[in-house]
């Protein structure tokens, strides 16, 4: 089985930087993904890390440390539209193993 | 391309009624899956399929049936709805060979209320 832990809520100020952490426990590991979901909307893919290190995509970056079973999503230059829920997800096996999601972190960006 | 299409978007059922949530994708994705989302619980996998004629159970399969007769369609059936099945249901798909990218394509969701 697998389990993922992430904070339930985070609040940050517009223009600031926020980090959302995710720790996981899996029997195997085949990558850590991040998704964004606005209220009433569908989850949308943000990033994927299979190897240790930082992946940058515009204002968003994602980091992975496989030895620590830990990753984070970093959002820079926060905007009000970044207020949403963010989910980390893992696969603990190869082949057709499905994606399992954490419970999500609700980010509130305030002025 | 329409992507992943779910119908209906909203549905109210009475306890004991049956219904089918439809999911169709036009991207020729082999892998399709159903998740339910409840407040504070994240997305929990109900069933998934890696191709026509092949289905498997996820984390919370009880009370739900699926079938995969074509690549395009993956309907989710509730045989006897219960209030505990009140939730938002998401269908998601991806090409099998891209599964290791972690990028699922989600439908817009179906909001189900069971009274």
């Amino acid at each position: 089985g697998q389990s993922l832990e992430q904070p339930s809520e985070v609040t940050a100020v517009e223009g600031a930087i926020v980090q959302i952490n995710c720790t996981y426990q899996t029997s195997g590991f085949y990558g850590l993904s991040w998704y964004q979901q606005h209220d009433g909307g569908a989850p949308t893919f943000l990033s994927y890390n299979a190897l240790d290190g930082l992946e940058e995509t515009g204002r968003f970056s994602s980091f992975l440390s496989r030895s620590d079973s830990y990753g984070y999503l970093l959002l820079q230059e926060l905007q009000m539209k970044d207020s949403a829920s963010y989910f980390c997800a893992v696969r603990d096996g190869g082949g057709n193993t499905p994606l399992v999601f954490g419970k999500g972190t609700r980010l509130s960006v305030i002025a | 391309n329409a992507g992943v299409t779910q119908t209906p978007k909203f549905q109210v059922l009475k306890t004991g009624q049956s219904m089918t949530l439809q999911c169709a994708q036009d991207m020729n994705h082999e892998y399709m899956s159903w998740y339910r989302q409840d407040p504070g619980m994240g997305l929990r996998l109900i069933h998934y399929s890696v191709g026509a004629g092949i289905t498997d159970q996820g984390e919370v399969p009880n009370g739900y049936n699926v079938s995969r007769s074509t690549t395009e369609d993956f309907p989710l059936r509730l045989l006897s709805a219960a209030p505990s099945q009140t939730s938002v249901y998401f269908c998601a798909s991806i090409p099998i060979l891209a599964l290791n990218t972690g990028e699922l394509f989600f439908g817009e969701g179906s909001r189900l209320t069971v009274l």
Side-chain angles (χ1 to χ4, degrees), chain B:
Chain B
N1 284 347
V4 180
T5 302
Q6 293 183 231
T7 54
K9 289 184 169 49
F10 301 93
Q11 182 72 49
V12 179
L13 289 178
K14 295 181 179 178
T15 297
Q17 287 185 317
S18 62
M19 79 155 300
T20 299
L21 299 177
Q22 302 290 345
C23 177
Q25 51 89 13
D26 61 358
M27 300 173 283
N28 205 31
H29 289 174
E30 301 91 344
Y31 180 92
M32 296 184 73
S33 55
W34 277 103
Y35 290 86
R36 62 175 288 174
Q37 185 173 35
D38 304 294
M41 297 297 294
L43 292 150
R44 292 184 292 170
L45 182 66
I46 305 172
H47 286 284
Y48 65 101
S49 169
V50 299
I54 306 170
T55 63
D56 209 341
Q57 296 182 351
E59 179 187 358
V60 288
N62 291 341
Y64 306 96
N65 280 355
V66 292
S67 60
R68 185 89 181 272
S69 57
T70 67
T71 299
E72 294 78 19
D73 301 298
F74 190 42
L76 180 71
R77 298 185 184 85
L78 286 72
L79 300 179
S80 179
S84 61
Q85 294 179 303
T86 293
S87 188
V88 180
Y89 292 85
F90 287 100
C91 179
S93 73
I94 191 172
I96 275 289
L97 293 180
L99 196 56
N100 61 357
T101 69
E103 182 179 2
L104 290 175
F105 295 85
F106 280 84
E108 290 302 308
S110 296
R111 186 176 298 272
L112 176 67
T113 301
V114 183
L115 302 176

Side-chain angles (χ1 to χ4, degrees), chain A residues 7-8 10 13 18-19 28 45 52 56 83 85 92 101:
Chain A
S8 58
V10 173
V13 177
V18 71
Q19 179 174 310
F45 175 80
D52 292 350
E56 298 181 59
S83 292
S85 292
D92 68 352
F101 287 80

Side-chain angles (χ1 to χ4, degrees), chain A residues 19-52:
Chain A
Q19 179 174 310
I20 299 173
N21 299 320
C22 175
T23 57
Y24 57 88
Q25 289 185 328
T26 57
S27 53
F29 179 75
Y30 286 78
L32 180 70
S33 303
W34 288 93
Y35 284 76
Q36 178 191 60
Q37 184 182 31
H38 287 100
D39 286 348
T44 57
F45 175 80
L46 290 176
S47 68
Y48 172 76
N49 295 69
L51 302 175
D52 292 350

Side-chain angles (χ1 to χ4, degrees), chain A residues 10 25 38 41 43 49-50 61 76 86 95 104 109-110:
Chain A
V10 173
Q25 289 185 328
H38 287 100
N49 295 69
S61 302
Q76 303 181 70
Y86 293 84
V109 180
I110 59 176

